[in-house]
Amino acid sequence: MTEIDLRGLVPAPVTPFTPDGAVDHEALASYGRWLAGFDGVKGLVCLGHAGEGTFLTQDEQVAVIRTLVEAVGGKTPIIAGITGEGTAVAAAEARRAVDAGAAAGLLYPSHGWLRFGFQKGAPQDRYRVVHEESGLPLILFQYPDVTKASYDLETQLEIAAQPGVFATKNGVRNMRRWDTEIPVLRAEHPELQILTCHDEYLLHTMFDVDGALVGYGGLAPEPLIELIEAGKARDYAAARALHDRLLPVTKAVYHRGSHMEGTVALKLGLKARGILPSAAVRSPLIDLTPAAEQEIHLALKSAELV
């Protein structure tokens, strides 16, 4: 089993773009070094939803991984989102990630499953093939309950038992399932690192996990590191205070019309914090209004992040 330790904050950084739409590698490297510089940051996950990974070409995906690997200089493992639709396509993507220096992969479900569902045993096969053909250690990605790509408990347990699977990123967003399934995963696979990705439900989920793999961590690593520690210490009062401090930011970034708008909002927040020079996004994402930008700035100010 892999020795990668993600028991802490694992930000999913955005991908900066220049105003003309190219990947801004200078800004990306600086951003990666900033995140990796925090004690408590255990890894960086690129090319996911927050990183607009599916909007990049194959060459751009590889270049993003390499830039982050070089930027952190081995200090922090770089984990690549593996999003290819077909299993063979995903395996090829994983091999490219290995060649670029990725330490692990976050394997997404085949996106056709979001609408049509999956055949019994197909997710297990996807994880097996991608790991066997690439050697990449993998994180099990549990999608929201409202999608048809959310794995039932039996499927999660079987994937977790497979070689190469060392952690799970759980974003089921159904607290009834969370409260019943997480204890079973913990009991059946005590070595499995359990990471919440509930950016908007961090307080409820923080007391059951080893860490958090969240896009939110790319914007506000400082209070989220404290929140994880409060959860591990079972200090509800401290966790609640951090949650309440962050709530205006949570609302400004994630309580929007679409969760994908959160990526745009994250970039606006990073620009407001002086971390990124631009909040440019790629289509099909579109810019938010000046009023939204002001709202995000005021929320960050209230949380003492600017």
Side-chain angles (χ1 to χ4, degrees):
M1 188 57 64
T2 178
E3 296 180 356
I4 298 172
D5 179 8
L6 301 182
R7 296 175 180 89
L9 180 63
V10 185
V14 302
T15 301
F17 298 115
T18 62
D20 63 0
V23 176
D24 188 338
H25 288 278
E26 182 178 353
L28 178 62
S30 175
Y31 179 34
R33 285 190 293 269
W34 177 70
L35 288 172
F38 290 99
D39 289 337
V41 167
K42 297 295 187 176
L44 300 178
V45 176
C46 60
L47 304 178
H49 292 136
E52 299 173 74
T54 56
F55 307 162
L56 305 182
T57 67
Q58 290 183 4
D59 288 345
E60 287 175 326
Q61 290 171 346
V62 168
V64 163
I65 297 170
R66 286 181 174 152
T67 291
L68 286 172
V69 169
E70 292 172 5
V72 303
K75 176 182 174 66
T76 305
I78 302 302
I79 300 159
I82 307 298
T83 58
E85 177 75 358
T87 298
V89 174
E93 184 179 355
R95 290 193 296 271
R96 291 193 298 272
V98 170
D99 291 342
L106 173 64
L107 183 56
Y108 283 62
S110 181
H111 283 79
W113 297 345
L114 289 168
R115 180 178 179 188
F116 299 111
F118 56 86
Q119 295 171 281
K120 184 177 176 63
Q124 295 90 319
D125 184 66
R126 181 172 170 85
Y127 279 83
R128 178 187 62 79
V129 171
V130 170
H131 176 65
E132 287 181 353
E133 294 194 6
S134 69
L136 195 64
L138 296 175
I139 300 171
L140 163 60
F141 194 170
Q142 172 68 325
Y143 256 44
D145 184 63
V146 296
T147 74
K148 294 184 179 181
S150 187
Y151 303 138
D152 57 85
L153 180 57
E154 179 184 8
T155 299
Q156 293 176 71
L157 289 170
E158 291 181 358
I159 293 172
Q162 294 183 182
V165 177
F166 73 101
T168 180
K169 171 185 175 178
N170 190 298
V172 69
R173 287 173 171 79
N174 176 329
M175 294 304 105
R176 181 174 63 186
R177 288 189 62 188
W178 174 274
D179 288 340
T180 56
E181 294 178 1
I182 293 299
V184 178
L185 277 168
R186 181 76 77 192
E188 293 292 322
H189 298 288
E191 76 288 352
L192 186 74
Q193 298 176 46
I194 297 177
L195 310 172
T196 179
C197 71
H198 293 84
D199 304 83
E200 68 276 48
Y201 299 118
L202 289 172
L203 181 64
H204 180 93
T205 60
M206 198 55 68
F207 296 91
D208 301 311
V209 296
D210 298 301
L213 196 173
V214 285
Y216 209 159
L219 173 62
E222 307 96 322
L224 290 182
I225 290 168
E226 293 183 53
L227 183 56
I228 291 167
E229 291 306 311
K232 290 181 178 181
R234 298 293 189 269
D235 188 342
Y236 179 80
R240 182 79 211 194
L242 287 160
H243 167 272
D244 291 349
R245 173 187 162 195
L246 278 172
L247 186 56
V249 183
T250 306
K251 292 169 65 176
V253 174
Y254 290 108
H255 295 186
R256 311 198 71 85
S258 161
H259 193 76
M260 288 302 296
E261 288 185 36
T263 295
V264 192
L266 287 172
K267 288 189 167 184
L268 288 170
L270 286 160
K271 181 182 176 184
R273 293 201 69 182
I275 306 302
L276 294 184
S278 169
V281 294
R282 273 198 180 169
S283 179
L285 293 181
I286 59 175
D287 293 331
L288 299 181
T289 65
E293 184 171 4
Q294 178 67 10
E295 176 191 7
I296 293 163
H297 187 273
L298 290 174
L300 289 166
K301 186 176 182 179
S302 73
E304 302 176 354
L305 290 170
V306 294

